[in-house]
Amino acid sequence: QVQLVESGGGSVQAGGSLRLSCVASRYITCMGWFRQASGKEREGVAAIYTRGGNTYYADSVKGRFTISQDNAKNTVYLQMNSLNAEDTAMYYCAARGSYVAYDWGSFGYWGQGTQVTVSS
């Protein structure tokens, strides 16, 4: 089992930045961020192979969001820049035991979520 705890959400004006953090209870191979806006399906945002540092992103956030890791702390971060209203959503940290590039499926561990609200 892996427990995930997110933090760092909040409210920001369009064009601003936020950094989300996710602490895992133990090391796990792949960690990612998903989001779900009101009335929409959950979508993958970014993921990282914690052993090698490989990353992948949704097209909608490429160039604006950066996922990174601190393996000593079993923590991943999501730096979000140039935020816009379409980024408003509940953001969830997720994890799984294998890494497959550009695969948003099979994430079996989930955090409780942290809300990000961007006002225009």
Side-chain angles (χ1 to χ4, degrees), residues 4-53:
L4 303 171
V5 179
E6 306 101 330
S7 61
S11 297
V12 64
Q13 289 191 332
S17 299
L18 282 174
R19 188 177 82 154
L20 306 182
S21 300
C22 174
V23 180
S25 58
R26 63 168 177 82
Y27 174 81
I28 190 162
T29 301
C30 179
M31 295 181 70
W33 290 95
F34 290 71
R35 67 185 181 186
Q36 187 167 20
S38 179
K40 295 187 178 181
E41 293 186 354
R42 186 175 62 195
E43 62 175 348
V45 175
I48 188 166
Y49 175 42
T50 56
R51 192 175 301 277

Side-chain angles (χ1 to χ4, degrees), residues 30-115:
C30 179
M31 295 181 70
W33 290 95
F34 290 71
R35 67 185 181 186
Q36 187 167 20
S38 179
K40 295 187 178 181
E41 293 186 354
R42 186 175 62 195
E43 62 175 348
V45 175
I48 188 166
Y49 175 42
T50 56
R51 192 175 301 277
N54 308 64
T55 60
Y56 57 96
Y57 298 89
D59 288 343
S60 58
V61 305
K62 281 181 181 177
R64 300 188 299 123
F65 291 11
T66 303
I67 188 169
S68 61
Q69 63 188 25
D70 184 339
N71 282 346
K73 299 179 180 179
N74 290 334
T75 300
V76 293
Y77 305 97
L78 185 68
Q79 177 67 43
M80 305 185 294
N81 298 329
S82 301
L83 286 161
N84 57 60
E86 288 68 42
D87 296 315
T88 295
M90 183 71 77
Y91 284 70
Y92 297 91
C93 180
R96 66 184 186 196
S98 63
Y99 175 81
V100 179
Y102 300 101
D103 178 13
W104 299 110
S106 303
F107 281 83
Y109 304 103
W110 294 87
Q112 294 298 308
T114 185
Q115 179 68 37

